[in-house]
Amino acid sequence: MDNITHSVIGLAAGELLHRSLPPESQEPAQRTRRALFLFTAWFASNAPDLDLILTRLLPSPFGYLLHHRGHTHTLLLAVPQALLLLAMLWLLWPTARRLLKDSSPARLGLALCMVLGFGLHMGMDFLNSYGVHPFYPFNSRWLYGDMVFIVEPMFWVLLGVPVIATLRSGIMKTVLLAALAAVLCFFTYKNYLTPVACVVLLALGVLLTVLQGRAGERGKGVLLLAFALGATFIGVQGVASAVGRARVEAAVQRLDPGTRVWDVAMTAFPSHPLCWIYVALDSKTDVYTLRRGTMSVLPTALAPNACPAGLAETGQGEQLAPGIGLSAQATGSLASLRQLQSHNCYADAWLRFGRMPKLDKGLTDVRFNPDMQTNFTTVELEQFRSRPCPAYVPGWGHPRADMLNLRE
């Protein structure tokens, strides 16, 4: 997810924990505890993305593909990250150190802030089609939620608005709420959000602002409501994604009976459970086929071409089935892909990330670009022909180990 989402979720978790634990005996200690919880949960909810500094260990694009959402996004290495954060707080924040020595609620809350911060980061990153592998090295398999768009304004509103509403500065509160409303309107103007979605988000923002204003300094009901609504939204998206995936798989098999569908990747539209971008991967004999397009999980109510134009595919000329538009299609040889993986170490490194591999002059994962155009994953293997095999390639599982006949 984007770091605004990670930030507001961390801040909301820290605020909720602060309000849920018994208050400190002195007001200065209470203020210190709140600041400590907010900072800790915010930092822990963003810290795994510091792995971006490791992208230079490999040439482009391999560094980003293999080291972002890498080791720092694993449960095992969340432990040293938490210990480093604790050491930093202990050494650099004297008032927090004194508070932690004297207060058991503060110690409990700090531990929970760390657990929730790191856990929520990995959990939120799981929700989209990019994926994570949190159980490495015990299990190197990538896990994909395929539920939520990577930049989701719903979380900005549900969790960001209550956090903003807790600010003491009226000017700052007004500026941030106005900025959020302006961003939602801008996204609607650029056709990333539908007008209906924008109105719903603005109405939720107003409601949560009013409710949080009435909750007082200790009230936690609004934050609990925000997390409950966020979980409900994820659940709705998950159901819609599963329905859409099943419909795409059935459409592919009707189109070509006897074909094997290896995977269907689903990418959500922001704040719109009916609209999805799909990429289907199937094969029959030695030929594998990639299909990409826009679909509506409820075509009787909404046609695919009515989905927000800012994210919809441009080549919607054909249909796999009612409500499932087809914008681009590509084929490849299974034998060629398997040979490339086994004989080319750069291709093998790329295939430790690539979930939907388009094989042409190079390799492209077609999850991330309209109409299967080149994107940040594209690599032309010819430029690495004379180079030695890359070092620092992590041992992530191959997302297409099934198709490559690898035992992992």
Side-chain angles (χ1 to χ4, degrees), residues 32-54:
T32 298
R33 191 181 82 177
R34 179 172 184 262
L36 175 65
F37 285 10
L38 290 176
F39 174 81
T40 301
W42 167 82
F43 188 92
S45 193
N46 282 278
D49 282 340
L50 293 174
D51 61 9
L52 289 170
I53 65 175
L54 301 175

Side-chain angles (χ1 to χ4, degrees), residues 54-125:
L54 301 175
T55 58
R56 296 183 181 181
L57 292 174
L58 289 168
S60 180
F62 297 99
Y64 185 86
L65 301 183
L66 296 174
H67 284 295
H68 179 47
R69 296 207 185 178
H71 293 93
T72 58
H73 286 69
T74 63
L75 293 173
L76 182 64
L77 288 187
V79 175
Q81 292 180 81
L83 292 175
L84 181 62
L85 173 56
L86 180 60
M88 181 176 67
L89 294 171
W90 191 264
L91 294 173
L92 301 179
W93 198 339
T95 53
R97 181 170 64 243
R98 288 194 293 271
L99 173 67
L100 292 171
K101 287 180 178 179
D102 298 335
S103 170
S104 57
R107 292 192 293 271
L108 174 61
L110 179 66
L112 291 174
C113 283
M114 290 184 178
V115 170
L116 284 175
F118 288 110
L120 285 170
H121 186 107
M122 285 179 266
M124 296 305 293
D125 278 356

Side-chain angles (χ1 to χ4, degrees), residues 307-322:
C307 291
L311 292 172
E313 305 293 285
T314 58
Q316 297 290 337
E318 303 179 36
Q319 284 194 333
L320 287 181

Side-chain angles (χ1 to χ4, degrees), residues 205-254:
V206 171
L207 176 63
L208 291 170
T209 300
V210 172
L211 292 176
Q212 187 60 56
R214 295 176 178 176
E217 292 189 0
R218 297 296 302 166
K220 58 186 178 182
V222 181
L223 288 163
L224 288 170
L225 174 64
F227 276 106
L229 290 175
T232 301
F233 173 72
I234 292 170
V236 170
Q237 291 287 117
V239 171
S241 176
V243 170
R245 181 182 297 106
R247 290 188 58 227
V248 170
E249 184 172 346
V252 170
Q253 290 175 334
R254 282 195 302 267

Side-chain angles (χ1 to χ4, degrees), residues 292-304:
R292 180 182 167 110
T294 305
M295 71 169 299
S296 167
V297 297
L298 194 61
T300 56
L302 183 80

